[in-house]
């Protein structure tokens, strides 16, 4: 019982079942790009280049401030392994990943400065306290916010470079049932809650436009370690002395890698009105080998636990199109294919991940010479996946995830 308890604990903390990207990554960093399947590394569309390609920022001709938010409505369904009849579905609250970008540079200067605040990782997964896998997870909330001051330099009209420092902050809250009951038959419960220490990374990019029709971009965003130190352990367990003696810890430490990304993008202006975009994104998930927890005293009779993850590096293939319908309206559409980094045997209820397909649409309305309104809608469908969870000590069974993600943004240019 003790070893199983620790394995379940290790399998749950700091991983999030995000329904819109592989692993726990959330690719929702620009409303125009979301409408194009989140492609845009090879384009200079707006201030969101701070995220998509800092090298393209210096090729923008106007300063601006941009605010956007998405409404992430995701559902995950579970069915017990062959022979069982149990089924469950998450009751996730609405997620609200957001992005804020601002840039400034003198009109004829090749130098432009910017700052971005966005949420590349995070989710909430709520399975409740009565489902089959409640000893693995009841509810998990993970938040990570990146703050990125950026500088971009236009070397020539065809070539630009840029880079930004990433400052990461965040928090995690995990709630799960404990396989111990009191004299009234009530199951135990544990809650882990903590804020991550400030993490540091960087984002760098090159933008190259060899012809009026063709543009290329290459960006690299480094790994950031999210470290929780002295997080709180809150316990509800039977009062019996032998049980209490096995649960004396009240603090924990853990580290979650937020993986590096390398993206190559291509933009092609097929006509004066039609622009095409293609991105290939490599996510270096192999950084997530295992998840270790250190307790300040015994939890389940031990002072630490470690669960294997062994994620694999994966790729996301994106395709998008933008069509200028009129002076006041631009339309967009896109799609992507996202490989899962989770190998067979390692599936968990926090990240019941599988290869996913996304399709999107979007538009921009020009409200005035200075103000644009962006809107997007993304539908994500992950393949149904059955796993025995033999290497993750998770919950064996079949999982299926879908997500509906509308979004809106406002751009002010000056």
């Amino acid at each position: 019982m003790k070893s199983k308890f620790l394995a379940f604990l290790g399998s749950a903390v700091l991983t999030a079942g995000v329904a819109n990207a592989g692993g726990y990554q959330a690719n929702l960093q620009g409303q125009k790009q979301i409408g194009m399947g989140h492609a845009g590394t090879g384009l200079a569309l707006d201030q969101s280049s701070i995220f998509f390609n800092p090298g393209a920022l210096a090729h923008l001709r106007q300063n601006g401030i941009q605010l956007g938010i998405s409404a992430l409505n995701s559902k995950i369904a579970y069915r017990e392994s062959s022979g069982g009849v149990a089924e469950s579905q998450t009751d996730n609250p609405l997620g609200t990943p957001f992005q804020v970008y601002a840039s400034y540079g003198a009109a004829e200067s090749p130098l432009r400065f910017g700052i971005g605040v966005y949420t590349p990782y995070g989710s909430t997964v709520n399975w409740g306290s009565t489902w089959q896998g409640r000893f693995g997870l009841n509810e998990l909330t993970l938040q990570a916010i990146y703050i990125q001051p950026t500088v971009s330099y236009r070397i020539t009209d065809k070539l630009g470079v840029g880079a930004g420092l990433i400052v990461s902050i965040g928090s995690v809250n995990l709630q799960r049932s404990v396989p111990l009951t009191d004299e009234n038959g009530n199951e135990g419960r544990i809650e882990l809650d903590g804020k991550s220490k400030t993490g540091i990374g960087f984002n760098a990019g090159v933008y190259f436009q060899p012809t009026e029709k063709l543009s290329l971009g290459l960006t690299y965003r480094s790994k950031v370690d999210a470290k929780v130190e002295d997080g709180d352990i809150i316990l509800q367990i039977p009062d019996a002395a032998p049980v209490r003696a096995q649960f004396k810890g009240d603090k924990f430490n853990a580290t979650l890698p937020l993986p590096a990304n390398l993206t190559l993008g291509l933009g092609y202006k097929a006509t004066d009105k039609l622009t095409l975009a293609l991105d290939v994104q490599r996510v270096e998930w192999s950084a997530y080998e295992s998840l270790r927890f250190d307790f300040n005293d015994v939890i389940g009779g031990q002072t630490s636990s470690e669960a294997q993850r062994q994620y694999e590096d994966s790729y996301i293939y994106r395709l998008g199109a933008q069509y200028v319908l009129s002076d006041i309206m631009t339309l967009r559409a896109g799609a992507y294919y996202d490989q899962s980094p989770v190998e067979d045997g390692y599936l968990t209820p926090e990240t019941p991940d599988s290869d996913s397909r996304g399709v999107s649409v979007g538009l921009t309305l020009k409200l005035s010479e200075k103000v644009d309104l962006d809107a997007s809608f993304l539908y994500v469908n992950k393949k149904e996946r059955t796993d025995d969870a033999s290497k993750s000590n998770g919950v064996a069974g079949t999982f299926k995830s879908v997500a509906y993600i509308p979004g809106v943004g406002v751009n002010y240019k000056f």
Side-chain angles (χ1 to χ4, degrees):
M1 177 66 75
K2 182 190 300 181
S3 61
K4 191 171 184 178
F5 170 83
L6 290 170
F8 275 146
L9 178 61
S11 74
V13 174
L14 286 177
T15 62
V18 180
N20 61 303
Y24 41 85
Q25 188 176 51
N27 286 303
L28 298 165
Q29 272 70 55
Q31 296 301 321
K32 290 185 177 67
Q33 292 84 355
I34 294 171
M36 302 171 69
H38 212 247
T41 301
L43 302 174
L45 288 177
D46 57 19
Q47 276 65 37
S48 61
S49 292
I50 292 169
F51 170 84
F52 285 93
N53 187 347
L57 184 67
H59 281 74
L60 299 179
R61 297 304 182 189
Q62 287 183 299
N63 302 313
I65 300 173
Q66 178 179 339
L67 300 87
I69 190 168
S70 296
L72 198 166
N73 183 4
S74 65
K75 296 290 184 184
I76 308 173
Y78 166 79
R79 183 174 65 249
E80 198 175 31
S81 298
S82 178
V85 296
E87 294 183 347
S88 297
Q89 181 171 295
T90 57
D91 184 21
N92 302 331
L94 192 70
T96 54
F98 66 88
Q99 64 275 171
V100 180
Y101 303 105
S103 71
Y104 178 80
E108 300 303 324
S109 172
L111 193 62
R112 193 169 293 274
F113 300 94
I115 187 167
V117 182
Y118 52 90
T119 52
Y121 300 94
S123 180
T124 296
V125 180
N126 182 11
W127 286 101
S129 58
T130 59
W131 81 296
Q132 178 89 354
R134 62 190 180 281
F135 301 128
L137 182 71
N138 297 152
E139 183 174 353
L140 174 70
T141 300
L142 170 68
Q143 296 178 329
I145 300 173
Y146 277 18
I147 304 167
Q148 183 189 317
T150 300
V151 60
S152 182
Y153 186 73
R154 189 175 68 249
I155 299 174
T156 71
D157 288 341
K158 294 183 177 181
L159 180 65
V161 296
L165 178 72
I166 290 174
V167 179
S168 170
I169 57 176
S171 64
V172 62
N173 179 276
L174 167 90
Q175 300 171 39
R176 56 175 292 277
S177 299
V178 175
L180 297 169
T181 55
D182 61 19
E183 62 276 12
N184 297 317
N186 299 315
E187 291 180 340
R189 189 178 178 85
I190 184 171
E191 179 177 355
L192 305 181
D193 187 83
K195 296 184 181 299
S196 66
K197 295 176 66 68
T198 301
I200 300 295
F202 68 92
N203 185 11
V206 178
Y207 177 77
F208 181 50
Q209 186 177 4
T211 70
E212 289 188 0
K213 286 182 173 293
L214 181 65
S215 56
L216 304 167
L218 179 66
T219 63
Y220 179 77
R221 192 166 49 260
S222 72
K223 184 187 78 168
V224 177
D225 283 330
K227 298 181 178 180
V228 176
E229 295 184 357
D230 292 329
D232 294 322
I233 303 175
I234 304 163
L235 294 167
Q236 297 178 28
I237 58 174
D239 290 328
V243 175
R244 285 288 178 184
Q246 302 298 312
F247 292 87
K248 298 169 62 177
D250 61 3
K251 297 290 182 181
F252 74 96
N253 297 336
T255 299
L256 177 71
L258 307 177
N261 287 257
L262 178 67
T263 305
L264 175 65
L266 181 150
Y268 182 71
K269 194 165 185 175
T271 70
D272 289 342
K273 294 185 175 182
L274 177 63
T275 300
L276 304 176
L278 172 67
D279 277 17
V280 178
Q281 178 180 351
R282 175 185 170 88
V283 188
E284 298 181 358
W285 282 111
S286 57
Y288 194 22
E289 297 178 347
S290 67
L291 189 58
R292 179 182 174 85
F293 299 87
D294 293 292
F295 312 117
N296 66 335
D297 208 329
V298 292
I299 293 292
Q302 298 189 29
T303 57
S304 68
S305 72
E306 186 170 14
Q308 294 298 310
R309 287 293 174 266
Q310 303 299 333
Y311 274 26
E312 289 187 320
D313 292 342
S314 63
Y315 287 86
I316 309 173
Y317 305 93
R318 307 179 183 281
L319 181 64
Q322 171 178 279
Y323 185 78
V324 180
L325 185 65
S326 67
D327 290 340
I328 62 171
M329 180 177 289
T330 299
L331 303 177
R332 301 183 183 87
Y336 71 79
Y337 182 79
D338 186 356
Q339 294 179 330
S340 173
V342 181
E343 294 186 80
D344 291 343
Y346 289 94
L347 209 62
T348 66
E350 318 82 45
T351 317
D353 201 44
S354 64
D355 295 343
S356 64
R357 297 69 52 98
V359 293
S360 64
V361 293
L363 62 82
T364 292
L365 291 176
K366 186 177 180 180
L367 303 181
S368 71
E369 288 299 320
K370 292 187 175 182
V371 180
D372 291 341
L373 176 67
D374 295 329
S376 67
F377 183 84
L378 171 63
Y379 169 69
V380 182
N381 189 315
K382 286 182 178 287
K383 293 181 179 178
E384 184 177 284
R385 184 171 182 179
T386 300
D387 195 82
D388 60 10
S390 58
K391 300 173 183 176
S392 64
N393 292 305
V395 179
T398 300
F399 293 86
K400 173 69 177 179
S401 305
V402 297
Y404 306 88
I405 313 169
V408 65
V410 176
N411 299 283
Y412 176 74
K413 297 170 286 187
F414 60 93

